[in-house]
Amino acid sequence: MGLLDKLKRGKIEGVDNTTYLTLKDERRISKENNKIIKKYEKENNRKNVSEEEYLTQMMDPANVVEFDNLHTYFFTDVGTVKSVNGVSFDIPQGQIVGVVGESGCGKSVTSLSLMRLVQAPTGQIVSGSIRYQDKDGKCYDITKMPKDRMLKIRGKDIAMIFQEPMTSLNPVFKIGYQMDEVVLLHTEGATPESAKARSIEMLNLVGIAAVEKVYNSYPHELSGGMRQRVMIAMALSCNPRLIIADEPTTALDVTIQAQILELLRDIKEKINGSIMLITHDLGVIAEMVDTVVVMYAGRIIEKGTVREIFHNPKHPYTIGLMKSKPGSHNTKGDRLYSIKGQVPNPINMPNHCYFYNRCDKAMGICSQEYPGMIQFSPTHFAACHLYNEDGSDKSEEEKERR
Amino acid sequence: MNNDDILIVNNLKKYYPVSKISFGKNKSYVKAVDDVSFTIKRGTTMGLVGESGCGKTTVGRTILRLHEVTDGQVIFDGKDLSEIPSRELRKMRPQIQMIFQDPYSSLSPRLPVGEIIGEAVKEHKIVPKEQYRSYILKVMRDCGLQPQYYYRYPHEFSGGQRQRISIARAVALNPKFIICDEPLSALDVSIQAQIINLMKDLQEQYGYTYLFISHDLSVVEYISDTIGVMYLGSMMEMGDKKRIFANPMHPYTKALLSAVPISNPDVKMNRIILKGDIPSPINPPSGCKFRTRCPHAMPICAEKKPVLKEYEEGHKVACHLYSQE
């Protein structure tokens, strides 16, 4: 920042709450980061790791994936971004788990950590574990898995559907080639003919009418909905146990969104797999999922079954999110409820509740420590100081006292 | 004309030529907007909905003459915008403003916020020079921007704040009519509510008229007074918001409304799922454009193009299911 700017800023009003880093600070941070990153990269690049090192036990054998206190940080030159900061939840076999939150809340990074696709070297899984149970009941800790071993799981047992189908398909190869590649890579003893047969079977499964034509076309020749169908077909081609759908319908129109959601629901039944559905659309969540995880600024603030979250939300953020969506419950005339302010800066997060500045019900304790998870029912949890350990409302108690 | 109507669009057409190798003959056109008419009353909001590629953005841009009109009339406040010379159009510009979809690309990264908002104010001499600074600060305050942001640059702001800057830029010129082209689609849900409230507050305070282009039906339902549903460049259904949401008549509107996910896990919608995608606008289906995806298509739909006709007060539909006589 130049001297002139400083003077100008001062002229308008004295307060300026943004902190700017000097070049010296930045250099120091980047030096420290390099040290940390090197340590993690060394760990990740080890070869010939014996299987015992990453074999573990599932907490509950009915789950496919268990996130346990996962921390994924990005070591940037302006400071450490704690994108995922202690996230724990389970994905049970045969269920759809929805992850909701605003952009930047860490929902995508959580899924990328599971795929081990976090942008290295700045992004690193710092601590915690992700336990994954494969078809034979063997259980691995994905965070400790070496890179070459991960190749056998990624795309085969855990497949991913991305938000933007245009950018996730390669524009210079035909659809057929890209689909066959997946099958050839992951199926033992696959021949080009068997791979093609499998690809065509999958394209049929996702409801594409002119299969041969689509098989022989390039991504740009297809519409957005069609491309997303191809992406789903590709994800399905190796019989995955878990499909991660990262905002699969955000880039699509409502009528096409309805088609794709219907398809995903169908597919889940057919392959008897699990789906981790990441979205910011509460409507999609209400319609599709069994359990919901609400994230805010890298942490889970509430989780529960879909009915618990929608009929009896506990955390002020979840309540605000529901109220701020225009719909049948508020008509023109009354003001729309809005959560004031914005998501805090991800660098230098406070040590108190992250939602404190935006919360209507903030109390003294909210600015002192981060709330622990409080249990309301066997499946319903929320992290908020408003409630006592046993799940009762603190404010009501206070009223009674008065 | 009625003085209540601020904008009258008559048979607006916008065709884009497609350059295909042809010897000057049979040039094909993308009919982005094909014979669209509507009127907007002063101080109200009209919502324009439709899937991507249905021409709703083109309608907005053609009204502003960011694209030249192929055929038809755009009458704003008694003047035909499609015909007046560019010198006069320039004088009209402050009265019609636009808010764009993407707040990341619609603000110049090289200008501080004060400049962005004030550039056109200087150009059109909205206020005398002495009052310039205080006027900009007042506009910023109206839009929920703190005065110390005056010298900051767009990259220092989040999406919601940037959209506030775009709104401030439009509002600073004291417009009568603002075209909002999907102003919320790049924002998070909690921020969307803030921006909707801001837009409504400004409307109440200064009596703006909005043309609100969006694909999000729940937002349109909330903010609009009248609604137009477009499909492939044509208006399919148009009318009062309450009538359309309570009694959608066109099969496309019905499908569109039923496709919106509802945030209540116990309500299961009777969903009408449309098959296939929007056909190419270069070679649209004959007769009714929607017939290829319509669950109620009849032989007559392929032969005759349905006319937009009023069936109840303030509710027009273009469909053969209802008598066209």
Side-chain angles (χ1 to χ4, degrees):
Chain A
M1 189 167 68
L3 189 64
L4 198 65
D5 279 6
K6 251 185 194 162
L7 286 173
K8 275 181 185 170
R9 277 166 202 271
K11 235 191 243 168
I12 289 288
E13 204 177 277
V15 245
D16 195 351
N17 48 10
T18 327
T19 46
Y20 289 88
L21 284 174
T22 59
L23 205 59
K24 209 172 162 188
D25 283 335
E26 235 167 79
R27 227 176 281 147
R28 181 180 51 79
I29 292 173
S30 120
K31 218 172 181 180
E32 280 168 15
N33 284 346
N34 278 343
K35 234 185 254 169
I36 302 168
I37 288 169
K38 228 178 219 169
K39 197 186 94 199
Y40 286 116
E41 281 296 285
K42 208 173 159 190
E43 187 85 359
N44 290 343
N45 289 335
R46 285 178 311 157
K47 279 188 182 128
N48 304 325
V49 187
S50 67
E51 210 178 52
E52 275 117 53
E53 257 187 66
Y54 52 87
L55 268 177
T56 58
Q57 281 297 317
M58 293 304 263
M59 300 292 251
D60 182 354
N63 293 336
V64 184
V65 168
E66 288 172 359
F67 290 90
D68 192 355
N69 205 12
L70 179 73
H71 292 257
T72 305
Y73 295 174
F74 287 85
F75 298 95
T76 67
D77 284 358
V78 285
T80 306
V81 178
K82 297 178 178 173
S83 275
V84 177
N85 195 0
V87 161
S88 322
F89 65 97
D90 306 332
I91 303 176
Q93 164 70 34
Q95 284 205 14
I96 306 183
V97 174
V99 182
V100 245
E102 294 178 85
S103 46
C105 73
K107 51 192 197 299
S108 286
V109 178
T110 308
S111 68
L112 291 176
S113 305
L114 171 57
M115 292 288 268
R116 286 288 297 274
L117 284 174
V118 183
Q119 187 70 47
T122 45
Q124 297 289 347
I125 299 174
V126 176
S127 68
S129 56
I130 304 170
R131 291 184 289 269
Y132 161 72
Q133 184 176 233
D134 75 359
K135 284 185 182 95
D136 320 322
K138 258 187 177 175
C139 175
Y140 303 104
D141 187 345
I142 283 186
T143 55
K144 297 201 181 70
M145 221 176 228
K147 274 183 181 168
D148 50 344
R149 182 66 181 77
M150 195 60 214
L151 290 178
K152 296 203 175 110
I153 290 181
R154 189 192 296 138
K156 181 168 186 269
D157 294 343
I158 307 173
M160 193 156 178
I161 303 163
F162 294 91
Q163 174 174 2
E164 188 37 80
M166 187 66 220
T167 45
S168 37
L169 286 168
N170 192 332
V172 298
F173 291 111
K174 286 183 179 168
I175 298 289
Y177 178 86
Q178 297 185 48
M179 290 197 62
D180 291 353
E181 198 182 9
V182 181
V183 182
L184 287 171
L185 205 66
H186 287 299
T187 322
E188 266 174 50
T191 57
E193 290 77 36
S194 72
K196 183 176 177 183
R198 178 75 185 160
S199 303
I200 287 193
E201 188 191 335
M202 285 302 123
L203 287 175
N204 267 321
L205 188 70
V206 296
I208 290 175
V211 177
E212 281 287 340
K213 201 177 143 211
V214 170
Y215 186 86
N216 281 318
S217 48
Y218 288 95
H220 72 263
E221 297 175 274
L222 306 177
S223 66
M226 237 12 167
R227 276 182 219 135
Q228 200 57 288
R229 277 169 198 271
V230 169
M231 285 300 293
I232 294 173
M234 204 186 273
L236 289 175
S237 56
C238 290
N239 286 326
R241 283 174 60 75
L242 173 68
I243 299 173
I244 303 170
D246 188 355
E247 310 240 3
T249 55
T250 308
L252 307 174
D253 284 312
V254 257
T255 55
I256 310 292
Q257 167 170 302
Q259 291 176 3
I260 296 289
L261 292 181
E262 181 89 3
L263 172 67
L264 273 176
R265 221 175 296 143
D266 263 16
I267 293 292
K268 197 210 87 183
E269 300 290 309
K270 276 184 196 156
I271 64 165
N272 188 29
S274 315
I275 297 178
M276 175 175 165
L277 182 71
I278 298 167
T279 177
H280 63 264
D281 190 336
L282 288 166
V284 173
I285 289 281
E287 214 160 87
M288 295 285 293
V289 309
D290 301 306
T291 49
V292 186
V293 174
V294 187
M295 285 184 73
Y296 184 77
R299 291 212 189 205
I300 292 179
I301 53 147
E302 188 160 359
K303 59 182 172 183
T305 64
V306 70
R307 287 209 166 71
E308 281 165 344
I309 297 285
F310 278 89
H311 295 323
N312 191 16
K314 291 290 184 189
H315 198 284
Y317 176 68
T318 323
I319 297 170
L321 219 53
M322 308 261 177
K323 271 202 274 182
S324 61
K325 202 172 162 15
S328 48
H329 56 293
N330 43 26
T331 46
K332 194 181 158 108
D334 36 306
R335 260 173 90 82
L336 210 54
Y337 176 83
S338 71
I339 304 172
K340 62 188 177 193
Q342 47 197 308
V343 186
N345 186 345
I347 298 165
N348 301 325
M349 278 301 216
N351 52 7
H352 55 72
C353 178
Y354 299 159
F355 193 58
Y356 170 65
N357 297 330
R358 304 178 73 189
C359 187
D360 291 336
K361 295 177 181 161
M363 304 177 291
I365 191 169
C366 299
S367 62
Q368 284 154 20
E369 55 180 300
Y370 194 88
M373 273 285 178
I374 290 165
Q375 188 164 12
F376 296 97
S377 79
T379 46
H380 193 181
F381 297 84
C384 183
H385 284 304
L386 278 178
Y387 306 98
N388 290 320
E389 283 298 314
D390 58 350
S392 57
D393 201 326
K394 267 185 200 167
S395 55
E396 272 169 22
E397 222 168 74
E398 264 167 39
K399 265 183 221 157
E400 273 169 27
R401 218 178 291 152
R402 270 178 224 149
Chain B
M1 72 171 262
N2 192 337
N3 200 32
D4 275 355
D5 300 335
I6 191 161
L7 183 85
I8 303 172
V9 174
N10 278 336
N11 304 79
L12 183 71
K13 283 179 189 158
K14 176 68 200 169
Y15 295 172
Y16 294 101
V18 189
S19 48
K20 265 193 181 156
I21 303 169
S22 67
F23 296 92
K25 276 191 246 168
N26 299 331
K27 217 173 176 186
S28 56
Y29 290 94
V30 173
K31 297 182 177 174
V33 178
D34 197 9
D35 207 355
V36 166
S37 315
F38 57 90
T39 51
I40 305 180
K41 281 201 170 59
R42 223 172 272 276
T44 62
T45 305
M46 172 161 175
L48 207 53
V49 282
E51 292 175 88
S52 49
C54 73
K56 51 193 195 303
T57 300
T58 315
V59 168
R61 290 180 172 238
T62 322
I63 290 171
L64 267 175
R65 254 175 84 182
L66 293 177
H67 300 310
E68 285 301 323
V69 179
T70 308
D71 193 21
Q73 280 180 313
V74 178
I75 300 167
F76 176 76
D77 233 2
K79 285 194 188 117
D80 189 349
L81 286 185
S82 55
E83 273 173 4
I84 58 173
S86 55
R87 187 185 289 262
E88 236 173 283
L89 182 69
R90 199 179 154 78
K91 280 187 202 149
M92 300 280 290
R93 285 263 191 241
Q95 296 181 23
I96 315 176
Q97 283 297 307
M98 189 156 181
I99 299 165
F100 295 92
Q101 173 172 13
D102 186 1
Y104 291 85
S105 56
S106 60
L107 300 174
S108 165
R110 289 171 182 263
L111 288 180
V113 170
E115 287 284 302
I116 290 176
I117 298 169
E119 202 182 12
V121 175
K122 272 186 201 158
E123 183 69 34
H124 290 287
K125 302 192 180 67
I126 303 288
V127 287
K129 235 180 185 170
E130 314 81 71
Q131 290 169 23
Y132 171 73
R133 168 65 67 82
S134 57
Y135 177 74
I136 301 292
L137 289 176
K138 177 186 157 285
V139 170
M140 284 172 68
R141 206 170 332 112
D142 278 352
C143 295
L145 294 163
Q146 286 162 27
Q148 70 259 32
Y149 294 164
Y150 192 91
Y151 283 110
R152 294 228 193 128
Y153 287 86
H155 71 96
E156 298 177 60
F157 294 94
S158 64
Q161 296 282 37
R162 284 177 201 225
Q163 205 55 286
R164 282 176 194 271
I165 299 170
S166 324
I167 292 173
R169 175 173 63 181
V171 167
L173 292 172
N174 234 336
K176 289 179 182 162
F177 181 59
I178 302 179
I179 297 170
C180 317
D181 187 4
E182 308 232 12
L184 306 171
S185 59
L187 307 176
D188 280 316
V189 187
S190 74
I191 309 294
Q192 278 189 5
Q194 292 177 7
I195 300 291
I196 294 177
N197 281 339
L198 171 66
M199 289 178 62
K200 289 193 67 168
D201 289 348
L202 289 170
Q203 186 171 35
E204 266 165 38
Q205 208 172 341
Y206 299 105
Y208 298 137
T209 310
Y210 290 129
L211 175 66
F212 195 92
I213 300 166
S214 178
H215 65 265
D216 189 339
L217 282 149
S218 49
V219 172
V220 169
E221 179 184 7
Y222 181 74
I223 205 166
S224 320
D225 299 297
T226 53
I227 286 177
V229 181
M230 283 184 74
Y231 185 79
L232 218 60
S234 303
M235 198 66 90
M236 290 290 158
E237 186 163 0
M238 191 164 67
D240 192 64
K241 170 191 72 177
K242 283 196 189 108
R243 288 187 195 277
I244 288 198
F245 275 88
N247 176 27
M249 290 172 83
H250 199 283
Y252 178 61
T253 319
K254 283 181 187 165
L256 212 56
L257 290 181
S258 83
V260 180
I262 293 177
S263 11
N264 186 347
D266 290 336
V267 179
K268 284 280 168 268
M269 279 288 286
N270 233 345
R271 179 149 298 164
I272 307 164
I273 292 194
L274 292 178
K275 289 192 184 75
D277 295 309
I278 294 195
S280 152
I282 300 176
N283 195 7
S286 64
C288 175
K289 286 174 178 169
F290 184 59
R291 72 180 164 86
T292 49
R293 296 172 80 194
C294 184
H296 307 290
M298 299 175 292
I300 189 172
C301 299
E303 290 157 20
K304 239 172 97 185
K305 195 180 166 186
V307 209
L308 203 62
K309 211 172 155 278
E310 193 161 1
Y311 287 94
E312 49 181 341
E313 203 200 330
H315 190 171
K316 291 180 184 172
V317 187
C319 183
H320 284 299
L321 282 179
Y322 309 97
S323 113
Q324 287 276 313
E325 301 306 308

